[in-house]
Amino acid sequence: MDLATANDNVVKRIHYMVNRVRQLTEQQLYFYNQPIQEIRGGGRVLVNGREMGMYASYSYLGLIGHPRINKAAQEAIEKYGTGTHGVRTLAGTLTIHDELEETIADFRGAEAAVTFSSGYATNLTVISTLVGRGDYVISDKYNHASIVDGCLMSGAKFVRFRHNDMAALESRLKSIPSDATKLVVADSVFSMDGDIIDFPRMVALCQQYNAWLMIDEAHSVGVLGKTGRGIEEHFDMPGVIDIKMGTLSKTIPSVGGYVAGKKELIDYLRHASRAYIFSAALPPAQAAAANEAFKVILDEPWRVEKLNANTRQFLDGLKARGFDTMQTETAIVPVLCGQDDLAFAMTRECQQKDVFVLPVVSPAVPQGLARLRATITAAHESDEIEHAMNVMEAAGHKLGILQGTPAQAAETLKR
Ligand SMILES: *Cc1c(COP(=O)(O)O)cnc(C)c1O
């Protein structure tokens, strides 16, 4: 295909995107895909030869580079090499995979767990294995893309409800035939907004309407609950989630995804989910790193405490400076800017002062609600957080974001 002369839809899509990226790059407003050259202590990284405070990391407990985790990965390479012998079902299963799945089951308070090659693949394969034609899958409107894709792929009737609105969920459940198979699925902590799902009411509704409950804990493991075990611990409601999904790529500094639940459910997924049967096993170093990371979280409880303290400092400090942080209660902190351009400009100002934040713009979030999506971790120190907030404040004043405009814009949009 000659991209210069052809004029089909694929070429149009390519040109549209390439042009948008080129324009932003020319205006020095393109911040995605920047390589990190090194990680340094204290939540700092080297980017473009400059050391920056990292406020865009999902390594919530600061575990990337932890000596125990690195060592576990190195030992696994010595023992097993760098690859597996293919898919789990055939020759791909190593003892470290079984150990990891036991560790996950223990950590999540479940009978068993199964891992896949990414969190994205996990949602795709698990949702589409569990429900299909004639069934219903009911999803929060702000759910992660991997959940949406899993729902679409399943062929089940895809029903969405207003974000975190349990009355809306109930009216959806009521409208579905009572004998139909129903799966309710939601993020525990929403990845763009940082707010927490109304879990107690969601659980009650699933019980009342006889629906399966699947919760994606990508942003709550290590974050919610006294020991970082997630949303069940946070609300003191152990064992109420049927399908506990999580990723090994955020708080857990590795790669992969998993679900934990009843032993029979997990055995079923091992024999029916296509991402397990038709895609290679996790590499041994990554499996060993993940396995060790869950243990480190329990051995170093100060990390969860420090993350909580840092989150408080960051949230209170930003609000005191006049920023609108929307509904967040967690380590994901939206800093509302308004129009896309403002979020890009805000990012540029912050990065020029060595504060590494990133913008989230439409269509990932609604028009007019573009924002910095800052994250806070246990690796940050109090004085660095104060410094980062001062940089953001100066930028906010310079760009006119701190005149009350974004909050007003948001209000107008809600009406
Ligand atoms: C990151 C994320 C995923 C995907 O996990 P990966 O392991 O990165 O593929 C799934 N769900 C949510 C809510 C996420 O934030």
Side-chain angles (χ1 to χ4, degrees), residues 58 117-123 143-147 187-191 216-219 245-250 255-257 373:
Y58 296 135
S117 56
S118 74
Y120 182 85
T122 302
N123 276 332
N143 275 348
H144 190 262
S146 55
I147 296 178
D187 290 12
S188 49
V189 169
F190 287 86
S191 54
D216 177 338
E217 299 224 44
H219 298 284
M245 182 271 169
T247 171
L248 303 175
S249 69
K250 288 177 175 133
V255 69
R373 179 147 140 295

